[in-house]
Amino acid sequence: MSSVPDPTLERTFRGHKSTVTSVCFSPNMKQLVSGSADNHLMLWSFKPQLRAFRFVGHKGPINHCEYSPSGHLIASASADRTVRLWLPSAKGESVSIKGHTGGVRSVSFSQDCKKIITASDDKTVKIWTLPSKKFLCSLNGHSNWVRSARFSPDSRLAVSGGDDKTVRIWDVGRHESIGVYQDHSSGVNSVAFHPDGTCVAAGSADTSIKLWDLRSNALLQHYPAHGDAVTKISFHESGNYLLSSGMEGSIKVWDLREGQLLYTLHGHQGSCTSSAFAPTGSFFATGGEDKMVMVWKTSLSTIIGGAQEPVSVKATKPRMVGGGQPLSYNSPKRGGNSLNESMSRANNVSRVGGSPIRSPFRSGSNNVNSSNAVDRSHLGGLSQNNTGKEFVLEELTSGDVGDSDLLTGGVPQSSVAPPLNKEQLPEVLAGTLDHIVGQLDGLTRTMALLDKRLSLQEDMMARYVYRESEEGEGK
């Protein structure tokens, strides 16, 4: 393990105006979606030349967002009591689903994309069918707000957790509860199924993470995980690791096989309110109270012998905030191993001994710190969509749409005109097209330059306001 690089911060996105409440990678790893208390979704691209898009439509804070397993849709849950289904394209078209009488805390797709499950402050869990958006059933049993609900990998079961301190297992076909776990001493903020479907995990406001075996209904592991409430948990695709975030601001990666803490990361200023592994586990994303979205690179796939997905993300210098100083993220350091040379500085990690554990996983509370001093970046350009323009959901989900169709706004490639062959065009027309392409390239470079200048002006203004406020306080 000593030769394996620690997680490193690869990219930082800035654009939200309030706390980032949820993050999720697209299945093809081309995009990242984030939801915020500013009522908006942001769609980020990993290609530096592509701009981010702000999706407008919700009338209240967004509590959760998620890509469908196929990548054709994004679902968002909001305090405005609605769920919206969005096309992950520049148009930002969406349809709304209404049915809850309280704010909706989470929304999640079934693996076959034929159902979604929602959890709400009205104390219910509801299941809806797609593409019809019809209400299927309501799962009643919680006695307080339900904060999280998810399908099992085979969609036959569901798990939910809420402020009544319970984790409930549901039979989706029979629409009834088949198990209740009451081991937490405070509200449950996040629940998840293990990738093999044999156990569930929950993160709670009591600062702990717990895992249960669905076959024996036994508590498998208990981790005193964070210094404050656990905000989100996410399984690595291998099932061997668990990612968690806490209100105290830390991000932690747990080795479930060894039953111990693998890494502790500090990146956000203030609370870390959301976290999620990428579909193949070589990256994970976090969001925080500081309005930032961060993408981290891991070597967990290397540890388990898996292949890493080819994603190009690079760190660049960030904008400044507040008093004109770059955001500073520090955690305890020690001298040691040389790590990822692509980052601006080395990261350091320390480990302590383990403790006895229980089968099939082992539980423990080892403390590990990974200090990351890194460059940070943002997408300078933001484009706003057409305020939640409606689309016909049936037309999208009933057809066969490939991953590459995301670049064409969800239109099947068969309906897209083939590329033009300039050799078949008249010489004058071909020359005109070349001239237009050249002009567009020039405009692109000009826009990039203007964006940099705008960032510089914002930084200068921030420093000026800070100095003025300091002088005012001095008087």
Side-chain angles (χ1 to χ4, degrees):
M1 287 294 294
S2 60
S3 63
V4 178
D6 303 333
T8 53
L9 181 56
E10 290 285 299
R11 190 80 178 264
T12 300
F13 296 112
R14 177 180 176 183
H16 281 296
K17 301 176 182 178
S18 188
T19 300
V20 178
T21 56
S22 185
V23 291
C24 185
F25 289 89
S26 64
N28 62 11
M29 286 298 297
K30 292 181 180 179
Q31 296 169 317
L32 175 74
V33 66
S34 59
S36 170
D38 63 10
N39 304 358
H40 301 151
L41 284 180
M42 294 290 295
L43 190 62
W44 313 94
S45 174
F46 289 118
K47 294 183 178 180
Q49 67 270 27
L50 296 183
R51 304 172 75 84
F53 294 96
R54 177 177 286 119
F55 288 179
V56 180
H58 281 294
K59 298 179 181 179
I62 294 174
N63 295 318
H64 185 237
C65 60
E66 182 176 300
Y67 263 95
S68 65
S70 66
H72 302 154
L73 292 172
I74 297 171
S76 58
S78 172
D80 65 7
R81 305 181 183 182
T82 70
V83 169
R84 280 188 175 270
L85 301 175
W86 308 79
L87 286 176
S89 63
K91 294 182 179 179
E93 297 170 301
S94 70
V95 292
S96 179
I97 298 177
K98 301 177 182 179
H100 284 288
T101 59
V104 186
R105 293 284 177 173
S106 80
V107 58
S108 186
F109 288 90
S110 61
Q111 192 61 36
D112 60 7
C113 300
K114 293 182 178 180
K115 298 184 184 73
I116 57 172
I117 186 170
T118 56
S120 171
D121 289 350
D122 63 12
K123 307 177 186 179
T124 69
V125 175
K126 296 184 185 296
I127 297 178
W128 316 77
T129 60
L130 296 180
S132 65
K133 301 178 294 174
K134 291 183 179 179
F135 170 72
L136 180 62
C137 66
S138 184
L139 306 177
N140 301 304
H142 285 283
S143 59
N144 208 329
W145 293 356
V146 189
R147 293 191 177 263
S148 182
R150 287 187 171 275
F151 285 109
S152 63
D154 61 9
S155 304
R156 294 186 301 169
L157 301 177
V159 61
S160 62
D163 284 1
D164 59 2
K165 309 176 188 178
T166 68
V167 174
R168 290 183 175 269
I169 308 299
W170 306 89
D171 186 309
V172 174
R174 293 188 292 170
H175 309 164
E176 63 183 18
S177 176
I178 58 174
V180 182
Y181 303 128
Q182 300 175 308
D183 299 281
H184 282 294
S185 60
S186 191
V188 177
N189 291 328
S190 181
V191 294
F193 266 95
H194 189 275
D196 68 8
T198 60
C199 72
V200 294
S204 170
D206 65 12
T207 73
S208 74
I209 296 172
K210 299 182 188 292
L211 288 85
W212 295 269
D213 190 322
L214 295 178
R215 297 159 295 188
S216 63
N217 288 323
L219 178 64
L220 291 178
Q221 292 184 341
H222 164 81
Y223 297 99
H226 288 269
D228 204 337
V230 180
T231 56
K232 202 75 68 175
I233 59 172
S234 174
F235 277 103
H236 187 269
E237 55 91 21
S238 68
N240 295 330
Y241 306 99
L242 186 74
L243 173 70
S244 66
S245 53
M247 286 295 288
E248 86 286 3
S250 70
I251 307 149
K252 300 193 178 187
V253 180
W254 305 86
D255 187 332
L256 301 180
R257 299 168 301 177
E258 298 296 328
Q260 66 182 12
L261 182 60
L262 196 58
Y263 300 111
T264 295
L265 307 170
H266 297 276
H268 292 279
Q269 290 184 330
S271 300
C272 182
T273 49
S274 58
S275 56
F277 268 119
T280 52
S282 293
F283 293 85
F284 63 85
T286 59
E289 188 179 25
D290 56 4
K291 311 173 189 177
M292 309 287 277
V293 175
M294 298 183 178
V295 177
W296 307 74
K297 184 178 181 179
T298 79
S299 298
L300 299 179
S301 295
T302 303
I303 297 173
I304 62 176
Q308 298 188 19
E309 65 272 23
V311 177
S312 176
V313 285
K314 298 180 180 179
T316 58
K317 191 173 181 179
R319 289 182 181 177
M320 296 183 178
V321 297
Q325 298 299 320
L327 298 179
S328 176
Y329 306 126
N330 300 309
S331 58
K333 301 179 181 179
R334 71 170 181 86
N337 301 326
S338 175
L339 301 176
N340 195 329
E341 296 298 329
S342 66
M343 307 309 293
S344 61
R345 302 183 212 170
N347 303 284
N348 301 299
V349 62
S350 61
R351 293 181 175 83
V352 296
S355 59
I357 41 114
R358 297 173 60 180
S359 175
F361 296 124
R362 299 193 287 179
S363 60
S365 58
N366 299 10
N367 292 320
V368 183
N369 289 319
S370 175
S371 173
N372 294 276
V374 299
D375 290 331
R376 291 164 292 276
S377 66
H378 68 282
L379 272 185
L382 298 179
S383 298
Q384 190 155 303
N385 75 320
N386 297 325
T387 317
K389 181 180 177 181
E390 296 285 325
F391 70 95
V392 180
L393 184 61
E394 286 80 1
E395 293 181 359
L396 176 71
T397 58
S398 60
D400 294 327
V401 185
D403 288 339
S404 61
D405 299 326
L406 293 179
L407 303 178
T408 61
V411 180
Q413 290 290 345
S414 59
S415 65
V416 179
L420 291 175
N421 185 353
K422 290 196 299 181
E423 295 180 356
Q424 299 176 355
L425 297 176
E427 183 177 351
V428 174
L429 181 56
T432 302
L433 289 175
D434 287 337
H435 177 72
I436 292 174
V437 170
Q439 292 294 319
L440 290 175
D441 288 341
L443 286 173
T444 300
R445 291 191 294 270
T446 302
M447 291 298 295
L449 180 61
L450 288 174
D451 182 69
K452 291 180 180 179
R453 290 182 176 178
L454 178 60
S455 299
L456 179 61
Q457 291 295 325
E458 289 178 348
D459 295 340
M460 294 174 61
M461 182 60 68
R463 287 194 289 268
Y464 174 77
V465 172
Y466 178 76
R467 286 196 300 269
E468 290 293 314
S469 62
E470 289 291 310
E471 293 176 0
E473 291 177 1
K475 295 179 181 179

